[in-house]
Amino acid sequence: MFTGIIESVGTLTKIERRGDDLRLTVASAKLDLSDVKLGDSIATNGVCLTVVQCLNDGYVADVSAETVALTGFSRYQVGQRVNLEKAVTPMTRLGGHMVSGHVDGVASVDERLNRGQAIEFWLTAPTTLARYIAHKGSITIDGVSLTVNEVQGARFRLTIVPHTASETTLIDLKAGDSVNIEVDLIARHLERLMFYGEQDSTQKRSEVTMELLARSGFLR
C-alpha cells in the first residue's frame, strides 16, 4: 500500500527483456534504501514492484507481461525518469490517498497550460475507466496522488502546484505523452459490491444500492 506522496525521482539505468517480461534496474541517490530488503515493494511510476536485488544507489525489479501490457513500461527507455515511493508503514503519514500500486491503465495528456505558478493538465482516460473518475475525487498519475478538478466525459483536469511539479516527473509532461493511472480504490470496490451477481441469477444481488449510497451521504 502507498499514499501517492513521491519520495524521490529515479532513473531507469537498465531494461532487460526476458520473454514478455522485463527486468529493470532503477537508480536513485536520493531515495533512502537503508531499510529496504529483498521482497519489499517500491512504487515505480505508480506500479508496485518487488525488489529482487538491492544496490548501493537503487534496486532491481521484475515487471510481468500483464503489467507491461497495462502500463507505459512497454515504451520506457533507458534514461527514463520515474517517480518512487516505498510502501507505507504503520507510522507513515497518509498525506495523499490509499494507493495500491496496481495500475488500471494509461491516459493521454491532451493539454498543458500555465495557470499562475501552477501547471494545469487535461488528460483523457480509457472509456472503461472514466466512470471511476469523479470531480474532487482522487486519482494517481505515474504514482502521484492528485485531486481531479473537473471532469468532461473521459477527459479530466488536474492542477499541479509548484512543489509537486519540482519533486516529481510531472514537470516533464507535455501534450501527447502517456501516463499510468490508478483510479480510486474505494470506487472500484463499490462497483463490485453494487453489481456482484447481476450477470448470474444464482448469485445474490448486493444490498448496496444507489439509493442507499445517497441516503448515506456518498452521492450528491
Side-chain angles (χ1 to χ4, degrees):
M1 185 66 68
F2 307 91
T3 70
I5 303 300
I6 302 305
E7 298 178 83
S8 174
V9 172
T11 303
L12 300 183
T13 59
K14 185 177 181 180
I15 302 176
E16 180 184 350
R17 296 198 174 274
R18 298 190 167 194
D20 293 331
D21 301 337
L22 298 176
R23 172 160 285 194
L24 307 177
T25 301
V26 184
S28 176
K30 182 179 176 182
L31 186 66
D32 180 10
L33 298 169
S34 61
D35 59 347
V36 173
K37 60 184 183 301
L38 292 181
D40 282 355
S41 298
I42 299 179
T44 307
N45 254 21
V47 180
C48 178
L49 297 182
T50 300
V51 175
V52 299
Q53 183 180 348
C54 296
L55 307 174
N56 290 333
D57 63 346
Y59 58 95
V60 177
D62 293 326
V63 185
S64 69
E66 170 77 6
T67 301
V68 172
L70 287 175
T71 69
F73 277 103
S74 61
R75 297 182 297 276
Y76 289 175
Q77 304 291 327
V78 170
Q80 171 93 27
R81 299 203 319 145
V82 289
N83 297 315
L84 305 177
E85 180 191 358
K86 295 184 294 185
V88 299
T89 70
M91 299 301 293
T92 302
R93 290 181 182 272
L94 187 59
H97 71 283
M98 291 186 294
V99 176
S100 69
H102 303 157
V103 168
D104 294 294
V106 173
S108 59
V109 179
D110 297 333
E111 295 181 79
R112 172 177 173 151
L113 305 167
N114 293 323
R115 298 297 187 195
Q117 295 185 12
I119 304 171
E120 183 176 278
F121 289 106
W122 276 97
L123 302 94
T124 298
T127 54
T128 54
L129 299 178
R131 64 183 180 273
Y132 303 114
I133 302 173
H135 178 236
K136 295 305 178 183
S138 296
I139 193 166
T140 308
I141 303 294
D142 278 348
V144 184
S145 172
L146 297 168
T147 300
V148 178
N149 288 326
E150 188 175 349
V151 178
Q152 296 179 357
R155 299 182 75 235
F156 60 99
R157 178 170 60 87
L158 305 171
T159 301
I160 314 301
V161 298
H163 177 78
T164 301
S166 65
E167 294 297 318
T168 70
T169 64
L170 299 184
I171 191 69
D172 303 329
L173 289 182
K174 59 186 182 304
D177 286 345
S178 298
V179 293
N180 297 325
I181 64 171
E182 180 185 329
V183 299
D184 184 63
L185 190 64
I186 296 175
R188 286 189 297 187
H189 284 291
L190 278 176
E191 181 183 55
R192 176 65 171 172
L193 285 170
M194 291 175 63
F195 298 106
Y196 175 72
E198 187 174 73
Q199 305 299 321
D200 184 353
S201 58
T202 66
Q203 297 287 346
K204 180 182 177 181
R205 177 66 187 273
S206 171
E207 296 178 358
V208 179
T209 64
M210 295 296 287
E211 292 75 19
L212 175 61
L213 292 175
R215 291 199 308 271
S216 303
F218 288 100
L219 302 176
R220 293 192 295 176

